[in-house]
């Protein structure tokens, strides 16, 4: 063993001399020769731990390699002269080990797996390892018996074995095309999946390059990418590669992932290629993209077409959508009779009726065209020949393809009838110029849908034009007829639609006012303004006005009326109506204000007995009050948010109105215009109320003339009321203790008051009904009872108590002894009801005053009718 140095290293082995000799013989080292290269690529020693040492005739270590130092953690100076059996073998196995060593020194080879103690590390590592040992007998220069030992770490071998098995399974079973490409960009290994696509066996692809699979341009691009991955180590994911496979002329598409592969020592040795066929996926993606484009176009059409309710404008809106997103040229022709306002859209069965060109759009030219190729200007009246594709489309209500003229600009044209409610109203033509993709079946279906949507909007515009005047009549019918009458108030009002003084056709607006009589000789005064103009605003105004009247009859407080009206406004015009309004009220910040109607409104309740008026305001202009002998002033009523915004409560303000005071409610059309700012208009309005003692009709005319309200830009609503409180002698008011005798006292009070008012014909009926209400208050109510009689245009009787339970009318059975009181009240009174108050409830009934001609209902007959 003298040929081995005392401390051999990896580079100091017996082959070095041979390598030097071979290099000297050839003049250079051959880098591709795995036997003689000093650092062979992919050497097994990059992966496994191998060490060597020799044992002298005395059974002790006499030579120790550097790898042995690394494996066992023992330096050479300590290892030489050491008993290897005692150093590495478990003490329990020492005797067996020495016996085996004796056999080896006697000239026998031995191979086996031996446990050994691992060197301790700084982090506390160590323990027991497992080594495969190959012992070869040898002799020294003196002829004495010795041995050379080769040791391999078994754990590393097992790990390599497992990794190789896993790698083989992944490579062979992968559903992707898997290639290993070397540093020269040649295939070194291909899996079965790749071979099944490009033919042959996996071995047939060894040595091939990307130029063997792809066209030149694509191959050069892919090769450049491979070189970049090999040089930089940056992985590539989802690289799209296009090519062909043997036996097919169809272009294929693959998604390829690339990453650099390294040896055990970390040296780059090649590139891994994983590819999957995405041809079908790309086709599906193109189809999905086309569907998304078409859907987006339909969504845009739904949002942009039909907003004006004007025939010509709707036609232009259609072309704004389709050019240039869908086609390069487009026209719309409508039947001339339709534009003339005929009740039924005219059109001959043969498709040759007169049409008018109402819209044209072009992305490449400004020359109008018709399906026959003859230019037609916008506004011109024309017709199509009977045998033309356009006439055929009108006649059959089916789209037709118009042949392209030879040498012309257009290469593909669709003539699509515009059909609404099974009626053809016109014809749309869509054309694509040369260089664009011709129309396909999907395009044809989309063109039919677009034309149908526009046709419906055009037909709606026709219906709107026919119904516009009816809408104006309807709007005026929703306003109070003539001069409204209210208890304790003198009322005058004015309503002027926008453009009324300009000579142009009147536009339907959303301004309104109302005067609503409430129980107890109270009156609700309402003025509101729906933002916007047109039929939608008028319809919303009608719905809000109806809602206000309904809520007023519930006798809610003004702030509560506006809160309920706000929720209703949020549901107008949206799917789900009130349900959506309720949800929007719960989540005001999430509401989309573009889907609701916004309106301003001021709601006031005037009590003619107390002459007190309670106001609530939803974003409206402030009321104006003129007290006798005082200048006009704007009441400080918190404006609140407009109806439809939601989320904010409304505040109430109560004002006592002196006798003869003048109250004015109005809309912004009276005080605001483009030429006059709002503040200036408000000051002019206040200044115009200088003489409130004049008749109210004259005051209204004076205000309108003074403000010069002839700009005609917006509707004007003006409601004025002069306070005429109920005289004290017209009110009877008593408080009754909570005891049975109060029923008789109530009858006595009522009889005495009616006789003092010379209303003897009403005495019997009033006594009977008062008795019923007071009895109910005693039986079902709480606290003391209050009886009040009010005399104005009618007689009103009110019974108050502290109970919260509202009376409910029910039908009594023949055998019931009670339960007919409220039925009797309903039979004998003109009206009756109940309302909540701050301290309980009020039940009331109303009787008309005798006029000498109409008698009063007989209580006896009413009683008999109940049985």
């Amino acid at each position: 063993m003298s040929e081995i140095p005392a401390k051999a290293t990896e580079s100091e082995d017996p082959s070095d001399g041979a390598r030097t000799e071979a290099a000297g013989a050839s003049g250079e080292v051959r880098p591709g020769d795995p036997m003689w290269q000093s650092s062979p690529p992919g050497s097994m020693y990059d992966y496994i731990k191998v060490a060597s040492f020799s044992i002298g005739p005395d059974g002790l270590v006499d030579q120790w390699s550097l790898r042995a130092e690394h494996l066992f953690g023992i330096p050479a100076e300590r290892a030489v002269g050491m008993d290897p059996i005692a150093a590495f073998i478990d003490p329990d196995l020492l005797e067996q080990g020495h016996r085996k060593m004796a056999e080896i020194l006697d000239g026998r080879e031995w191979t086996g797996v031996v446990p050994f103690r691992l060197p301790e590390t700084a982090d506390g590592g160590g323990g027991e390892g497992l080594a495969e040992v190959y012992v070869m007998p040898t002799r020294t220069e003196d002829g004495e018996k010795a041995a050379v030992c080769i040791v391999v770490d078994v754990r590393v071998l097992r790990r390599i074995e497992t990794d190789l098995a896993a790698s083989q399974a992944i490579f062979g079973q992968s559903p992707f095309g898997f290639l290993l490409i070397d540093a020269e960009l040649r295939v070194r290994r291909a899996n079965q999946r790749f071979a099944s696509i490009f033919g042959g066996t996996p071995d047939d692809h060894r040595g091939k390059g990307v130029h063997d699979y792809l066209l030149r341009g694509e191959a050069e691009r892919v090769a450049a990418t491979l070189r970049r991955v090999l040089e930089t180590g940056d992985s590539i994911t989802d690289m799209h590669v296009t090519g062909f496979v043997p036996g097919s002329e169809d272009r294929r598409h693959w998604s390829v992932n690339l990453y650099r592969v390294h040896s055990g020592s970390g040296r780059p040795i090649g590139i891994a290629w994983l590819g999957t066929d995405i041809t079908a996926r790309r086709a599906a993606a193109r189809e999905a993209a086309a569907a998304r484009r078409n859907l987006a176009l339909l969504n845009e059409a739904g949002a942009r077409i039909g907003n004006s309710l004007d025939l010509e404008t709707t036609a232009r809106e259609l072309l704004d959508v389709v050019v240039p997103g869908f086609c390069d040229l487009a026209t719309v022709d409508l039947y001339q009779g339709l534009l003339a306002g005929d009740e039924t859209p005219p059109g001959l069965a043969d498709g040759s009726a007169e049409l008018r060109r109402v819209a044209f759009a072009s992305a490449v030219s400004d020359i109008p065209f018709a399906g026959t190729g003859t230019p037609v200007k916008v506004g011109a009246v024309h017709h199509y020949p009977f045998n033309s594709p356009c006439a055929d489309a009108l006649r059959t209500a089916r789209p037709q393809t118009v042949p392209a003229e030879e040498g012309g600009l257009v290469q593909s044209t669709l003539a699509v009838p515009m059909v609404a409610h099974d009626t053809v109203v016109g014809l749309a033509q869509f054309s694509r110029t040369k260089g664009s993709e011709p129309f396909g079946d999907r395009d044809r279906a989309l063109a039919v849908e677009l034309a149908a949507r526009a046709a419906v909007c055009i037909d709606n515009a026709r219906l709107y034009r026919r119904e516009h005047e009816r809408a104006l009549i309807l709007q005026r019918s929703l306003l109070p007829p003539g001069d409204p009458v209210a208890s304790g108030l003198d009322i005058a009002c004015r309503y002027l639609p926008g453009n009324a003084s300009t000579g142009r056709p009147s536009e339907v607006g959303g301004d309104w006012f109302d005067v609503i009589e409430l129980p107890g000789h109270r009156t609700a005064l309402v003025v509101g303004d729906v933002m916007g103009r047109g039929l939608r605003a008028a319809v919303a105004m009608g719905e809000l006005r109806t809602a206000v009247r309904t809520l007023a009859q519930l006798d809610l407080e003004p702030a509560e009326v506006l809160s309920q009206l706000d929720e209703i406004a949020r549901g107008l015009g949206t799917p789900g109506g009130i349900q959506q309004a309720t949800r929007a009220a719960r989540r005001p910040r999430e509401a989309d204000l573009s889907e609701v109607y916004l309106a301003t409104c001021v709601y006031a309740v005037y009590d003619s007995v107390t002459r007190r008026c309670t106001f609530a305001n939803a974003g409206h202009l402030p009321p104006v009050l003129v007290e006798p002998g005082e200048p006009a002033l704007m009441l400080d009523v918190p404006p609140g948010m407009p109806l439809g915004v939601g989320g904010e409560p409304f505040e109430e303000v109560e004002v006592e109105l002196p006798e003869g005071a003048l109250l004015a409610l109005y809309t912004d059309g009276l005080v605001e215009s483009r030429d006059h700012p709002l503040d200036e208009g408000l000051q002019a309005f206040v200044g115009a109320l200088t003489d409130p003692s004049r008749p109210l009709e004259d005051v209204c005319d004076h205000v309108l003339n003074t403000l010069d309200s002839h700009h005609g830009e917006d509707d004007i609503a003006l409601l004025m009321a002069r306070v005429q409180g109920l005289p004290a002698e017209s009110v009877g008011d008593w408080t009754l203790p909570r005891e049975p005798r109060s029923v008789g006292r109530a009858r006595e009070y009522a009889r005495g008051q009616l006789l003092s008012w010379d209303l003897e014909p009403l005495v019997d009926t009033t006594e009977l009904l008062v008795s019923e209400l007071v009895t109910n208050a005693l039986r079902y109510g709480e606290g003391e009872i209050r009886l009040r009689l009010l005399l104005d245009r009618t007689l009103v009787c009110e019974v108050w108590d502290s109970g919260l339970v509202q009376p409910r009318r029910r039908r009594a059975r023949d055998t019931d002894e009670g339960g007919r009181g409220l039925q009797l009240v309903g039979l004998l009174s003109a009206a009756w009801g109940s309302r909540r108050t701050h301290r309980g409830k009020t039940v009331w009934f109303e009787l008309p005053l005798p006029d000498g001609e109409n008698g009063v209902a007989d209580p006896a007959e009413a009683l008999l009718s109940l049985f």
Side-chain angles (χ1 to χ4, degrees), residues 497-557:
N499 301 325
S501 60
T502 63
R504 296 192 298 269
S506 298
E507 293 289 338
V508 179
D511 292 19
W512 92 94
F513 66 89
D514 209 345
V515 178
I516 307 170
E517 291 191 82
L518 301 177
H521 289 314
R522 295 172 303 131
T523 304
L525 304 175
V526 189
V527 170
D529 183 4
V530 176
M531 297 182 185
R533 299 191 58 78
L535 185 60
R536 289 163 56 90
V539 171
M541 179 272 286
E543 292 178 326
L544 290 177
R545 178 182 180 272
T546 301
V548 170
R549 296 190 69 88
T550 302
L551 293 171
Q553 295 304 320
L554 297 177
D555 220 343
L556 304 175
E557 296 296 328

Side-chain angles (χ1 to χ4, degrees), residues 27 50 88 90 232 285 443 519 533 649 651 813 856:
V50 180
F88 307 119
D90 189 275
T232 66
D443 297 321
R533 299 191 58 78
E651 299 183 38
R813 293 174 296 183
V856 180

Side-chain angles (χ1 to χ4, degrees), residues 108-129:
R108 296 184 181 179
E109 290 188 359
W110 181 81
T111 301
V113 177
V114 178
F116 68 95
R117 289 190 293 274
L118 292 171
E120 294 186 359
T121 59
D123 58 359
E128 187 176 88

Side-chain angles (χ1 to χ4, degrees), residues 14-34:
S15 65
D16 283 346
R19 283 197 295 272
T20 304
E21 181 180 351
S26 61
E28 62 178 356
V29 177
R30 291 177 296 175
D33 193 333

Side-chain angles (χ1 to χ4, degrees), residues 751-826:
R751 171 179 288 273
Q753 187 65 66
L754 292 183
L755 292 177
S756 68
W757 287 339
D758 294 328
L759 294 177
E760 184 176 355
L762 297 180
V763 169
D764 292 341
T765 301
T766 303
E767 278 189 312
L768 177 60
L769 299 186
V770 165
S771 177
E772 289 293 340
L773 295 190
V774 173
T775 300
N776 281 348
L778 285 171
R779 181 174 299 176
Y780 305 110
E782 298 177 6
E784 64 179 8
I785 301 169
R786 181 181 174 188
L787 171 65
R788 190 168 74 166
L789 295 178
L790 306 176
L791 177 62
D792 193 49
R793 292 177 293 110
T794 60
L795 175 67
V796 174
C797 173
E798 298 177 333
V799 175
W800 303 23
D801 69 78
S802 301
L804 298 178
V805 179
Q806 298 291 318
R808 183 173 61 87
R809 184 176 177 179
R810 65 184 181 88
R811 183 176 297 277
R813 293 174 296 183
D814 295 342
T815 58
D816 289 346
E817 296 182 359
R820 298 179 177 85
L822 293 181
Q823 292 187 48
L824 186 63
V825 174

Side-chain angles (χ1 to χ4, degrees), residues 622-645:
V624 175
L625 177 64
V626 186
E627 296 185 2
E630 300 290 337
L633 58 89
M634 289 182 287
L635 294 177
D636 185 14
V637 180
M641 299 298 292
L643 301 176
V645 175

Side-chain angles (χ1 to χ4, degrees), residues 56-105:
D58 56 0
L60 302 178
V61 175
D62 62 357
Q63 296 187 51
W64 191 257
S65 68
L66 286 177
R67 286 186 180 268
E69 288 188 16
H70 297 155
L71 180 62
F72 297 107
I74 301 174
E77 56 267 20
R78 188 161 65 89
V80 174
M82 180 176 61
D83 181 359
I85 303 301
F88 307 119
I89 303 302
D90 189 275
D92 296 337
L93 302 177
L94 286 178
E95 183 179 352
Q96 181 180 354
H98 284 110
R99 188 167 54 252
K100 184 62 66 175
M101 179 58 68
E103 294 178 358
I104 294 171
L105 293 177

